[in-house]
Amino acid sequence: MTDLTFTCTGVRADPYAAGPTLVLRLRITAPPDTRVHALALRCQIRIEPARRGYGPGEAEALADLFGDRSRWGTTLRPVQFAQVGLMVPGFTGETETDLVVPCTYDMDIASTRYFNALQDGEVPLLLLFSGTAFTGAGGFRVEPVPWDREAAYRMPVAVWQEMVEQHFPGCGWLRLPRDTMAELLAFRSRHALASWESTLRALLDAAEPAPPPLPLPGTPAPRVTERAVP
C-alpha cells in the first residue's frame, strides 16, 4: 500500500463563489519516484474545540453547545464541520491541490454556532482522509487510502469572518419553517412593511411592554395612600 501523507498548508475565503466557501490548500506526498495516476479522496473535517482556550464572552456564547464552563471537561467534544470529495490528478512524489469546502451561515448548525461565538484566534481543525489511490509505474493498481490518514490545521477565525462578511455584510441569517415564513409574509403584507427588518422590528416592538407615560411638566406626583382595612 502506497504511503501517502497529507498536510494542510493554508486556507482562504473564495470571493467569487456563489455561496460561502473556504478553500483549503493540501500538500499530498508519496514516496520518492512513486507514480500516482489519480486519487479519489473523501475528506471529513472536524472541529477540535478542546485544543484552544476561550475568553469569557466566547464561553458565554458557547454555553448552548457545551453547557457551563465547569462541565467542559466532559462536554467539549469534536464538532462535525463538513464532508467533501476531491479528485486529485496524477503526480509523482508530491503535489498540491485545493480542497473546496462549501459552508453555511445557518445558525441551527452546530459548527456555524461555534464559529460565530469566536472573537479571534484560531479554529483547531482535523482533516480525516479516505478513498482510493490509482498507482503504479508500468500500468496501474487500485488500493485504498488508509483510514488513519489525517492532517491537523489551525484556521484563523478572521478567515471565517471574512467569508461571512463577503456574502452577508453586516447581516445574520435565519432559517424558518415554511408555515412560519408564510405567516410572516402575510403580516408584512397586511401592514405594508417595506423590509423583513421592519417586519421583525414591528413584532419585537409589539411584544415589549409599553413604557409608562412621562408626567407633564408641573404635574404633582401621585400621593401614596394605604389601603383601608374593611
Side-chain angles (χ1 to χ4, degrees), residues 66-86:
F66 305 121
D68 187 78
R69 191 192 282 268
S70 61
R71 301 174 51 216
W72 282 10
T74 56
T75 62
L76 218 60
R77 301 298 186 187
V79 176
Q80 180 73 17
F81 175 29
Q83 293 197 52
V84 292
L86 174 66

Side-chain angles (χ1 to χ4, degrees), residues 27 51 64 84 90 96 100-101 156 161 167 170 181 190 192 202 210:
R27 178 183 298 132
R51 295 182 179 272
D64 65 331
V84 292
E96 290 198 1
V100 179
V101 184
Q161 295 170 343
H167 294 275
M181 196 69 189
R190 285 196 307 271

Side-chain angles (χ1 to χ4, degrees), residues 50-66:
R51 295 182 179 272
R52 61 156 285 167
Y54 302 92
E58 293 173 329
E60 183 179 353
L62 290 169
D64 65 331
L65 284 179
F66 305 121

Side-chain angles (χ1 to χ4, degrees), residues 55-220:
E58 293 173 329
E60 183 179 353
L62 290 169
D64 65 331
L65 284 179
F66 305 121
D68 187 78
R69 191 192 282 268
S70 61
R71 301 174 51 216
W72 282 10
T74 56
T75 62
L76 218 60
R77 301 298 186 187
V79 176
Q80 180 73 17
F81 175 29
Q83 293 197 52
V84 292
L86 174 66
M87 286 298 302
V88 181
F91 64 94
T92 299
E94 183 178 282
T95 189
E96 290 198 1
T97 189
D98 287 338
L99 180 66
V100 179
V101 184
C103 303
T104 178
Y105 198 36
D106 185 348
M107 297 303 290
D108 286 341
I109 306 299
S111 59
T112 305
R113 297 208 304 277
Y114 177 84
F115 287 127
N116 191 64
L118 302 184
Q119 298 171 1
D120 52 27
E122 297 172 331
V123 181
L125 300 178
L126 184 64
L127 287 67
L128 306 169
F129 296 95
S130 61
T132 304
F134 302 89
T135 64
F140 72 88
R141 61 181 182 271
V142 179
E143 54 188 76
V145 175
W147 283 87
D148 62 352
R149 304 294 94 165
E150 61 184 43
Y153 183 70
R154 301 186 72 85
M155 181 181 75
V157 173
V159 175
W160 172 270
Q161 295 170 343
E162 174 191 351
M163 178 195 70
V164 170
E165 189 65 18
Q166 287 173 356
H167 294 275
F168 305 100
C171 300
W173 192 94
L174 186 64
R175 181 168 63 95
L176 295 172
R178 189 176 292 111
D179 292 345
T180 304
M181 196 69 189
E183 291 182 44
L184 280 174
L185 183 58
F187 178 88
R188 176 177 173 176
S189 299
R190 285 196 307 271
H191 294 82
L193 297 168
S195 66
W196 286 117
E197 181 182 359
S198 57
T199 301
L200 293 176
R201 176 53 56 192
L203 290 169
L204 288 172
D205 291 344
E208 294 178 355
L214 296 175
L216 295 175
T219 303

